[in-house]
C-alpha cells in the first residue's frame, strides 16, 4: 500500500467548494503542487480569512516578474504551478495512479478536501479509476488513538500553503502510526 497525504485550499460558502490550490506528497517521494488558474478571484477578494491566510502563499513571481505583476493579481498567472482546472484534474489523476493500485489518501479534517478533490472530475461517481472514493482523516485517527489535538506535532511554518500542509500531514500521519505501534 502507498499513501498520499494531501491538502487543498478552497473557497466554500456553505453550498459550493471551489479549488484554490492543491498539494500532495506520496510515500514514494513524489510531490505535486498546483494553483487553480480558474479560481473565483472576485469572491476570494471579498473573503477576509482567505486574503489573510491563503493568498499570501500563492505564487507571486520572482525578480523582475514580481515587479511587473499587477497589484490586482492574487497570484502570478505566468508561474508554472498555475494551471487550468482541467490540467490539474489530469495531473492529479496521474499522480494518484502512479502510486499503484493500492493507494490510500490522507488529509487533516479531510471531508471538504475529499469533496473538492472529487469535484476535479465532476460528481463523486465520475471519479477516475484508481482514485479512492474516500480519504482517511488524521483527526479521526488521533481520536481513535485517544490523543488530544494539542499532542500532535505542530507545523513550524507555511500553514495554509497546500504543499506545506500536505508535508505536515505526512509527518503527523507517520507520527500517529508510531504512537499506535508503541501501544500495540
Amino acid at each position: 500500500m502507498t499513501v498520499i497525504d494531501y491538502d487543498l485550499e478552497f473557497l466554500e460558502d456553505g453550498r459550493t467548494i471551489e479549488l484554490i490550490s492543491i498539494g500532495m506528497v506520496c510515500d514514494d517521494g513524489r510531490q505535486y503542487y498546483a494553483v487553480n488558474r480558474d479560481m473565483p478571484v472576485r469572491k476570494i477578494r471579498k473573503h477576509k480569512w482567505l486574503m489573510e491566510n491563503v493568498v499570501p502563499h500563492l505564487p507571486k513571481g520572482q525578480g523582475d516578474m514580481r515587479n511587473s505583476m499587477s497589484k490586482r493579481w492574487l497570484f502570478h498567472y505566468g508561474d508554472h504551478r498555475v494551471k487550468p482546472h482541467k490540467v490539474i484534474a489530469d495531473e492529479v489523476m496521474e499522480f494518484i495512479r502512479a502510486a499503484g493500485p493500492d493507494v490510500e489518501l490522507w488529509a487533516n479534517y479531510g471531508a471538504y478536501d475529499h469533496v473538492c478533490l472529487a469535484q476535479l472530475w465532476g460528481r463523486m461517481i465520475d471519479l477516475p479509476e484508481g482514485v479512492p472514493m474516500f480519504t482517511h482523516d488524521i483527526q479521526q485517527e488521533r481520536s481513535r488513538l485517544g490523543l488530544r489535538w494539542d499532542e500532535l506535532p505542530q507545523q513550524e511554518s507555511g500553514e495554509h500553503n497546500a504543499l506545506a500542509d500536505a508535508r505536515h500531514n505526512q509527518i503527523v500521519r507517520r507520527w500517529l502510526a508510531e504512537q499506535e505501534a508503541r501501544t500495540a
Side-chain angles (χ1 to χ4, degrees), residues 131-173:
V131 176
M133 292 193 73
F134 71 96
T135 292
H136 296 268
D137 189 88
I138 288 170
Q139 292 301 321
Q140 286 178 324
E141 182 67 0
R142 173 204 53 80
S143 177
R144 185 184 74 78
L145 295 173
L147 300 167
R148 297 184 324 269
W149 69 269
D150 59 347
E151 294 179 276
L152 298 177
Q154 298 300 304
Q155 188 166 345
E156 299 288 323
S157 64
E159 194 171 5
H160 306 301
N161 170 300
L163 185 56
D165 289 351
R167 289 174 181 148
H168 182 67
N169 288 350
Q170 185 180 60
I171 290 167
V172 173
R173 176 188 48 83

Side-chain angles (χ1 to χ4, degrees), residues 55-66:
V55 170
H57 297 292
L58 300 178
K60 300 294 189 237
Q62 305 292 325
D64 290 341
M65 285 193 329
R66 187 177 191 121

Side-chain angles (χ1 to χ4, degrees), residues 62-81:
Q62 305 292 325
D64 290 341
M65 285 193 329
R66 187 177 191 121
N67 295 335
S68 64
M69 190 174 128
S70 169
K71 299 281 188 224
R72 297 178 344 192
W73 292 3
L74 296 184
F75 53 90
H76 197 286
Y77 285 84
D79 189 284
H80 70 279
R81 298 166 292 182

Side-chain angles (χ1 to χ4, degrees), residues 6 32-33 38 44 73 99 103 109 121 128 134 139 148 153 176:
Y6 75 102
Y32 179 80
Y33 176 72
D38 306 321
I44 292 167
W73 292 3
V103 64
Y109 298 105
W121 304 284
F134 71 96
Q139 292 301 321
R148 297 184 324 269
L176 288 168

